[in-house]
Amino acid sequence: MSAADPAKSGTFKGLKLTNTLTRQKEDFCAIDDSNVRLYVCGPTVYDFAHIGNARPAIVFDVLYRLLRHLYGAEHVTYARNITDVDDKINARALRDYPDMPLNEAISKVTKKTADQYQKDVASLGCLEPTVQPRATEHIDGMVKMIELLIEKGHAYVAETADGGEVLFDTVSMPDYGGLSKRKLDEQIAGARIAVDSHKKNPGDFVLWKLSSPEEPGWDSPWGRGRPGWHIECSVMSEHHLGKVFDIHGGGLDLIFPHHENEIAQSCCANGTKTMSNYWVHNGFVQVEGRKMSKSEGNFFTIHELLETENFGGRKWPGEVLRLAMLMTHYKEPIDFSVRKLEEAENLLGKWPDLVETDAAPAADVLDAMNDDLNTAAAIQALHGLAGEANKDPVKLAEFSASAALLGLKPVAADMSGIDETAIAAAIKARLEALNGKNWAEADRIRDELASQGIALKDSKDSETGARVTTWDLKR
């Protein structure tokens, strides 16, 4: 590391993470135990977030919860950005609000989708991050970083047929490609905006794109334009977390080009060897065994799953969606299916209701979480506690604390329309039938209640040995 790079001087608290940068599972040691810093690439708020967007939201919420448990909630800073700089968004803002300042117009265009995203991820049990910066709030910072890159010889201005652009010079960085492990001659620049061919090297990528009079843009030393995709996260993460921070997260699809180019910009501008000490990436999401796409007809938004019957002919509670995601290790691909959701819902239905508690999570649950966020193993351990938790208040507190660490809670039963007096009368009649050895009648009453979603549970009074029957809604 250079002198500008802070060392991993924090205390090892048991957490191990697979670092994409090294391709190794490593002990996690923070730069500063009093301020552990996590950055995750958030949504582009052009449209409602889809189920693939839900996975990083859930995965990194779990990591955030675990870090808060290990270091204390007040010692963890979680930044998840909102991308509201996008050519489609910009064009719509210019079209719909031509007389309004661009940032204000963009805010109006994106308010509905941004608000829906916040509502959706909250329904999935995700905590609100410490800060959620918007790209439009950091245009000045992007301009300054680009100026610095030009000054240091890592960027250049190129004339193009439609105006011009500022490009990052990938050859100027000897270590370019270190995250994706790709050779420079294999790189294909990625951007959300059109890229012309006026480049020194094929892999050079856009930092700033000039706008025509008809296109939206912001003023800059190179003319009126808009930023490229990658520069926004370099600037926002530095603003809120510093030049080098602890963990950068996102989906596998972001390793190249987005995260690779973030590293290039940040390290070359700031003179550091790294941007983040640990890079953590979640696997892809398929739907019913196929890649999710609108053309395949298997593209579903979080909102659709929560509020419509478009998937599996019914609505799905947020707790079920969350558990279904966590039943697969975050690094592995996941097949999101009706069957998986039903499995998750059945599991939740067997768990006791949670209680407020200051108890510590179960040791085996915490051990699984510390082992590279092995939520699948943590859920197995949690399920093993459920039976004891139904009988023992101490175990219930431990179960509740463990579930909270995963951000899970049982599906709430809908008690509307339930006639508790009639249920009590049916249980009494069944007990009389059992005492009279009228097994057929007792079974009939049980089956009738089951058809109404009411599950009976028989036990014995510890003192008298008499049969005691309780009931609950099947969830």
Side-chain angles (χ1 to χ4, degrees), residues 15 17 28 31 36-40 60 63 67 241 245-249 275-280:
L15 173 61
L17 293 172
F28 175 75
I31 297 168
V36 183
R37 288 160 286 165
L38 166 67
Y39 184 89
V40 175
F60 293 105
L63 178 55
L67 292 171
L241 304 180
F245 50 94
D246 296 298
I247 304 171
H248 194 312
M275 174 189 182
S276 174
N277 284 336
Y278 302 86
W279 291 79
V280 180

Side-chain angles (χ1 to χ4, degrees), residues 8 17-26 178-179 181 277-279:
K8 303 173 186 176
L17 293 172
T18 297
N19 190 349
T20 305
L21 194 61
T22 62
R23 303 299 197 269
Q24 300 291 324
K25 187 188 292 187
E26 301 178 5
L179 182 69
K181 305 296 189 265
N277 284 336
Y278 302 86
W279 291 79

Side-chain angles (χ1 to χ4, degrees), residues 231-278:
I231 194 71
E232 63 182 66
C233 286
S234 286
V235 170
M236 287 187 282
S237 63
E238 179 183 341
H239 180 87
H240 291 284
L241 304 180
K243 294 178 179 179
V244 181
F245 50 94
D246 296 298
I247 304 171
H248 194 312
L252 278 176
D253 56 316
L254 297 181
I255 294 175
F256 182 85
H258 186 47
H259 289 168
E260 193 74 78
N261 291 347
E262 281 186 49
I263 292 172
Q265 295 161 161
S266 295
C267 291
C268 289
N270 297 324
T272 59
K273 291 292 185 182
T274 188
M275 174 189 182
S276 174
N277 284 336
Y278 302 86

